[in-house]
Amino acid sequence: MSFNLATILRESRYACPGKPLCHSQDRTLSYEQVDEASGRVAAALLALGLERGDRVAVQLPNLPEFLLCYFGILKAGLIMVPLNPLLKGREIAYHLADSGSKMLVAFSLLAAEAVAGAEEAGGTEVYVVTLPGYDQIPEGTKPFTDLLAAEDTGDIVPTNADDTAVVLYTSGTTGKPKGAELTHFQLYMNCSVSGDLFGIQPDDAILAVLPLFHVFGLSSVLNVVVRFAGTMALVPRFEIEPVLDAMEKHRCTIFSGVPTMFFALLHADTAGRDLSALRVGCSGGAAIPGEVIRAFEEKFSGVVILEGYGLSESASTTTFNINAEQRKVGSIGKPVWGVQTRVVDGQDRTLPPGPENVGEIVIRGHNMMKGYWNNPEATAEVFRDGWFHTGDLGYADEDGYFYVVDRKKDLVIRGGFNVYPREVEEVLYTHPAIAEAAVIGRADERLGEEVVAYVALKAGAQAEEQEVIAFCRERMAPYKYPREVKFLSALPVGPTGKILKKELRT
């Protein structure tokens, strides 16, 4: 079956050509402008000799040029390889070489590392996006504007529905990053199903601060907006004042983010701001504490936070709480349309419902990746009998709602007892002085592992280690509470705002 994901842009352009697709600082681009400009990029890429199935890496923050590259690459029948702009030269070289990318589009302010990585990878050609009024680019690179000089032919190269559209690299928490191959059809199904679940409406404006190079931002924000002809307010990075400014200026109705973003907004000074347009918060990427949900909805009256679950390998959304009436706080919801989810034991046998029956969450459906790029061994490790093994531990309840307890690798086994860090973190988040919390296991000669908590305090708040330990001890079984509490000014986070436990372990 022939299908190209870029069709979602073309169809929305036909429906509302002059409607704003994205706002970015002082720039606004309509659907017609994005469709036409991305067509120029597509024509330029083909004129340079790139052929269907070739890979093009894009290392940009949330700027309109990301959209032009994305849809231009898709229209040309090529494969997009989104990369984090903060990667260093050595890391860039790995991604370029592993994906076999023939071109890299980078951001001028961070282009030095891109150039170094491209040279190490074997001389990948680099095009550089500059900010308006900033024309300087590194020697040996070409300006992105060269890719806009071609004439838009209006063509969209026919691709098969199961052709790879995007190779999206995992974070590499266990070894080198692997490239998940996501197809045109998988990404289309995710944005179609997710948009319906989010209840997106024609006049919705979505705040796009999640990085578009990440599956959450790419698949569940950008693709959803374009598929349903919405409008997005692009914010390059999560900083409270720019986020609140964009939310207020563009009357944003939907905010998608990870729990640390919701927590930051919860404690931000919003006095005098009109944020009344906001009606839905979509949380994912990590478990959001129930206490944060309750406090956020109390502060932002009329807003409901709906939690979901997904992975790079599942093209984003896998389960979701569809509305305030049917959600269960603390749950990741039910499987989305066309997706099956179950909890299995070590022999891949389905476990019965109940929190006492914790096992690994496995998935199958239209949303699952083709496999890891050029890595059949890693693909075989995660797929068994058609089911993708997530590495996440959880359980289901009698109503079919799923709950994530923790990552397999994050599980702490203390004296033979399983301690799920998320459960301890939920308790820590109820402490009045604690702003952020993360729990890990530390090797212990007697018990195997000991429970250690890392916390950051709220501004102006004070707490002592033994007081926090006592707080947890009063609320948890004796084998669960942390015996050690370490205080940091802020916990380390990744590009999406997810707390990086691997850095706490080093």
Side-chain angles (χ1 to χ4, degrees), residues 25 207 209-210 235-247 255 261 264-265 268 273 495:
Q25 297 177 325
L207 186 75
V209 67
L210 283 167
V235 181
R237 57 181 296 181
F238 187 85
E239 296 174 309
I240 284 295
E241 291 305 312
V243 164
L244 291 174
D245 288 344
M247 194 178 291
F255 172 71
M261 294 179 181
L265 287 170
R273 290 186 178 272

Side-chain angles (χ1 to χ4, degrees), residues 276-338:
S276 59
L278 192 64
R279 61 180 179 82
V280 176
C282 296
S283 179
I288 184 168
E291 187 64 28
V292 173
I293 292 177
R294 286 185 283 271
F296 191 96
E297 292 179 351
E298 182 177 341
K299 176 177 181 176
F300 296 91
S301 179
V303 176
V304 58
I305 294 179
L306 302 175
E307 186 174 4
Y309 167 82
L311 312 97
S312 298
E313 294 89 343
S314 68
S316 196
T317 313
T318 296
T319 64
F320 196 68
N321 282 277
I322 61 173
N323 55 42
E325 292 71 34
Q326 299 182 53
R327 74 170 179 185
K328 291 190 179 184
V329 172
S331 165
I332 56 173
K334 293 182 176 182
V336 302
W337 185 92

Side-chain angles (χ1 to χ4, degrees), residues 122-174:
T124 306
E125 193 163 30
V126 180
Y127 283 77
V128 174
V129 172
T130 60
L131 293 172
Y134 186 90
D135 300 321
Q136 190 172 358
I137 63 172
E139 186 177 347
T141 67
K142 297 180 179 179
F144 175 73
T145 50
D146 283 2
L147 300 180
L148 295 173
E151 183 179 349
D152 176 24
T153 65
D155 289 342
I156 297 178
V157 172
T159 52
N160 293 324
D162 61 352
D163 282 350
T164 301
V166 174
V167 173
L168 208 154
Y169 279 82
T170 63
S171 57
T173 53
T174 55

Side-chain angles (χ1 to χ4, degrees), residues 2-4 46 52 74-78 155-159 184:
S2 177
F3 175 72
N4 188 311
L46 293 173
R52 177 174 164 178
L74 294 177
K75 286 180 178 182
L78 309 175
D155 289 342
I156 297 178
V157 172
T159 52
H184 290 266

Side-chain angles (χ1 to χ4, degrees), residues 143-397:
F144 175 73
T145 50
D146 283 2
L147 300 180
L148 295 173
E151 183 179 349
D152 176 24
T153 65
D155 289 342
I156 297 178
V157 172
T159 52
N160 293 324
D162 61 352
D163 282 350
T164 301
V166 174
V167 173
L168 208 154
Y169 279 82
T170 63
S171 57
T173 53
T174 55
K176 290 184 176 180
K178 301 181 291 291
E181 290 190 67
L182 304 177
T183 70
H184 290 266
F185 179 73
Q186 288 164 341
L187 290 166
Y188 174 78
M189 288 299 296
N190 182 81
C191 66
S192 296
V193 171
S194 297
D196 284 333
L197 290 172
F198 298 167
I200 191 166
Q201 301 166 6
D203 58 350
D204 271 328
I206 299 181
L207 186 75
V209 67
L210 283 167
L212 298 181
F213 61 78
H214 187 272
V215 71
F216 195 176
L218 181 73
S219 190
S220 292
V221 177
L222 172 55
N223 286 352
V224 168
V225 168
V226 176
R227 167 67 176 83
F228 289 86
T231 297
M232 62 197 303
L234 291 169
V235 181
R237 57 181 296 181
F238 187 85
E239 296 174 309
I240 284 295
E241 291 305 312
V243 164
L244 291 174
D245 288 344
M247 194 178 291
E248 184 175 29
K249 178 179 179 180
H250 301 297
R251 302 289 294 165
C252 291
T253 55
I254 299 176
F255 172 71
S256 292
V258 295
T260 53
M261 294 179 181
F262 284 95
F263 198 86
L265 287 170
L266 172 61
H267 294 281
D269 180 7
T270 58
R273 290 186 178 272
D274 181 6
L275 306 174
S276 59
L278 192 64
R279 61 180 179 82
V280 176
C282 296
S283 179
I288 184 168
E291 187 64 28
V292 173
I293 292 177
R294 286 185 283 271
F296 191 96
E297 292 179 351
E298 182 177 341
K299 176 177 181 176
F300 296 91
S301 179
V303 176
V304 58
I305 294 179
L306 302 175
E307 186 174 4
Y309 167 82
L311 312 97
S312 298
E313 294 89 343
S314 68
S316 196
T317 313
T318 296
T319 64
F320 196 68
N321 282 277
I322 61 173
N323 55 42
E325 292 71 34
Q326 299 182 53
R327 74 170 179 185
K328 291 190 179 184
V329 172
S331 165
I332 56 173
K334 293 182 176 182
V336 302
W337 185 92
V339 173
Q340 293 175 280
T341 306
R342 61 190 181 110
V343 178
V344 301
D345 63 13
Q347 286 73 49
D348 291 348
R349 296 173 300 198
T350 301
L351 292 170
E356 69 279 7
N357 296 311
V358 173
E360 184 177 12
I361 297 174
V362 297
I363 307 164
R364 71 179 179 189
H366 56 71
N367 60 335
M368 294 315 307
M369 67 172 182
K370 288 170 67 172
Y372 292 118
W373 178 263
N374 283 342
N375 199 335
E377 296 82 9
T379 302
E381 286 178 12
V382 294
F383 280 105
R384 293 200 292 274
D385 296 325
W387 290 88
F388 177 79
H389 287 247
T390 66
D392 287 322
L393 298 173
Y395 65 91
D397 67 15

